[in-house]
Amino acid sequence: MRDKISSSPVLSVVSKILFAPIIIFGLYVQFHGDYGPGGGFQAGVIVAAAFILYSMIFGLSKGETLVPIMINRYLMCLGVLLYAGVGIVSIFLDGMYLDYNVLSSDPSTGQHIGIILVELGVGITVATVMIALYHSFASFGEINE
Amino acid sequence: MNFLLINFFLISLLLVTTFFIFKTTSLISVVALTGAFTLLCSAIYVNLDAVDVAFTEAAVGSGISTILMVMAAAKLPEGKKNKLINLFPSIILAVAISLILIIIIANLPLLGDPNAPIHLHVVPEYLKESKDFFHIPNVVTNILASYRGFDTLGETIVIFTAGLGVIALLTSNTLNRKTNFKKNKKNER
Amino acid sequence: MVGGLFIIITSQNYLKKVVGLAIFQTAVFVFFVSLAKVLDGTAPILTKMANAYSNPLPHVLILTAIVVGVATSALGLALVLQIYKNYETIEEKEIEFLELKSDK
């Protein structure tokens, strides 16, 4: 059942071509979020869309080898911990929780670093949660057959 | 004037879509119409100058959530031509709520009024500091990550928890499945 | 918005109820964003040309709320799938019927 999905060569070729540009666009949205529309939430979803496209076209088990479930779950936790960790680091540097001014000698640069790190944490969490959601929805019901 | 016309057009399209979602019984067409609904919403957001929100709605609302709903609808049985339940009380409730909302909306400041209270409190400071101190042009990113950092942390944790919940509900026997998968492979050989 | 509420109450199908919830939510988002609009303003990305920007604060709130909304409706869909697995139907009346039968 799960490996019968890819039948049309057009779909597989097009998705192979699109896979890398989607991820690059996701990274662009992630790190260009300071200057244009975009940020962690959108970038996470776009990156997740690339992986979901892959596992829709080539079947779940191939998508599973690309992003193993357990690694995906660890990354989910890593995203949240990265966000919370930035706050704790700023406590250790004599600031308040999530006060990015102390992350660098210049407060403005500190804010930049903090915002980029926090957005990265959000992006990782959103992307991996979306992959996990797709994965659990797609694999539901095929277990007990 | 153009702005209001476009907005009016889009919102009337939204109403039409909602009506058809209400009317159709086939689950897959309900899902497709929901995708159309969210895409229309993102057009409205662009019209209201909220580019970040429109971006999110287009990617998340009409992208990921439509995919998830399709996956769910594929596993569910076809919707039956059901009789509507609670029709009469819900009509009364709907009319009452819409009357209340219209009364409230009549008391709100006009759409796009630059002197409305919402535009006068903290936002001018945010805009000014974002230019002079942060040197980050996109104020939305700035507020999201810095001024409202706690909020965003909370939202991230909510997403994480929702993901955990779905995993717990749907893949409770991941390990079993893996062993079954290996067994099947052995059987094939 | 009222339409969404109407769907939640009147539909028997649980998947349609989840959809109605999403519509209800989206209506609230549109209301919030419409509060942020400033006439003759542009999107809140600072440039040299513009001098009025729409209010970025509601945008931030709604931005996060959209993603959270999708995550929670996915949770609702997961519950619907589990209900289907246990009852083999997702119509409200039929589930009530089955419950009554199992009580006897």
Side-chain angles (χ1 to χ4, degrees), chain B residues 24 49 80 112 118 123 137 169, chain C residues 16 37 39 41 46 82 94:
Chain B
T24 40
D49 287 339
K80 287 172 195 160
I118 183 176
V123 173
L169 273 172
Chain C
K16 269 181 98 172
K37 169 76 182 166
L39 272 188
L46 303 176
Q82 278 293 347
E94 292 176 21

Side-chain angles (χ1 to χ4, degrees), chain A residues 65-118:
Chain A
T65 51
L66 194 65
V67 187
I69 304 175
M70 286 321 286
I71 288 182
N72 197 23
R73 288 183 191 169
Y74 285 129
L75 280 174
M76 242 164 95
C77 306
L78 181 78
V80 177
L81 287 179
L82 182 60
Y83 198 138
V86 172
I88 291 176
V89 165
S90 62
I91 287 181
F92 280 123
L93 293 172
D94 296 334
M96 283 185 285
Y97 190 68
L98 289 177
D99 179 11
Y100 313 134
N101 281 354
V102 291
L103 287 179
S104 166
S105 51
D106 178 30
S108 182
T109 325
Q111 288 283 354
H112 255 263
I113 295 170
I115 288 174
I116 286 173
L117 282 178
V118 160

Side-chain angles (χ1 to χ4, degrees), chain C:
Chain C
M1 176 170 166
V2 180
L5 190 66
F6 196 69
I7 291 177
I8 298 176
I9 301 171
T10 47
S11 303
Q12 283 200 23
N13 196 306
Y14 278 132
L15 189 94
K16 269 181 98 172
K17 283 190 191 234
V18 174
V19 168
L21 210 59
I23 289 172
F24 191 72
Q25 214 176 21
T26 317
V28 178
F29 296 163
V30 171
F31 172 67
F32 254 76
V33 172
S34 77
L35 285 183
K37 169 76 182 166
V38 175
L39 272 188
D40 304 324
T42 57
I45 295 171
L46 303 176
T47 52
K48 279 170 190 159
M49 281 101 79
N51 44 12
Y53 304 99
S54 59
N55 195 329
L57 196 54
H59 294 185
V60 174
L61 300 178
I62 296 311
L63 190 105
T64 48
I66 286 173
V67 186
V68 169
V70 167
T72 45
S73 61
L75 194 63
L77 285 179
L79 284 173
V80 171
L81 281 179
Q82 278 293 347
I83 288 172
Y84 175 62
K85 193 179 159 194
N86 288 329
Y87 289 94
E88 310 232 311
T89 175
I90 49 167
E91 310 284 325
E92 193 174 337
K93 273 279 155 63
E94 292 176 21
I95 288 172
E96 276 175 15
F97 182 68
L98 284 175
E99 279 284 302
L100 282 178
K101 225 163 88 179
S102 66
D103 280 348
K104 274 172 194 171

Side-chain angles (χ1 to χ4, degrees), chain A residues 9-145:
Chain A
V10 176
L11 283 179
S12 60
V13 167
V14 167
S15 66
K16 267 179 191 164
I17 293 172
L18 279 180
F19 185 72
I22 291 175
I23 288 183
I24 289 175
F25 181 61
L27 290 176
Y28 166 78
V29 169
Q30 170 88 49
F31 294 112
H32 199 260
D34 299 356
Y35 304 101
F41 285 101
Q42 295 94 326
V45 172
I46 290 169
V47 171
F51 288 105
I52 289 174
L53 175 72
Y54 187 84
S55 43
M56 270 175 102
I57 302 291
F58 296 103
L60 263 186
S61 48
K62 275 214 168 173
E64 221 167 89
T65 51
L66 194 65
V67 187
I69 304 175
M70 286 321 286
I71 288 182
N72 197 23
R73 288 183 191 169
Y74 285 129
L75 280 174
M76 242 164 95
C77 306
L78 181 78
V80 177
L81 287 179
L82 182 60
Y83 198 138
V86 172
I88 291 176
V89 165
S90 62
I91 287 181
F92 280 123
L93 293 172
D94 296 334
M96 283 185 285
Y97 190 68
L98 289 177
D99 179 11
Y100 313 134
N101 281 354
V102 291
L103 287 179
S104 166
S105 51
D106 178 30
S108 182
T109 325
Q111 288 283 354
H112 255 263
I113 295 170
I115 288 174
I116 286 173
L117 282 178
V118 160
E119 291 270 354
L120 191 64
V122 171
I124 291 173
T125 315
V126 172
T128 47
V129 166
M130 292 302 164
I131 294 171
L133 286 186
Y134 171 77
H135 202 277
S136 29
F137 271 99
S139 63
F140 178 74
E142 291 177 14
I143 311 158
N144 304 321
E145 277 167 13

Side-chain angles (χ1 to χ4, degrees), chain B residues 111-169:
Chain B
L111 178 67
D113 182 10
N115 291 321
I118 183 176
H119 301 307
L120 298 179
H121 181 42
V122 281
V123 173
E125 282 171 45
Y126 286 172
L127 286 169
K128 194 165 156 287
E129 276 194 16
S130 182
K131 201 178 197 171
D132 301 338
F133 177 62
F134 289 96
H135 308 296
I136 291 175
N138 190 353
V139 191
V140 172
T141 306
N142 206 346
I143 297 178
L144 180 86
S146 187
Y147 289 110
R148 298 291 162 114
F150 275 124
D151 280 11
T152 315
L153 179 61
E155 309 269 14
T156 316
I157 291 174
V158 169
I159 294 165
F160 175 68
T161 320
L164 279 187
V166 172
I167 290 174
L169 273 172

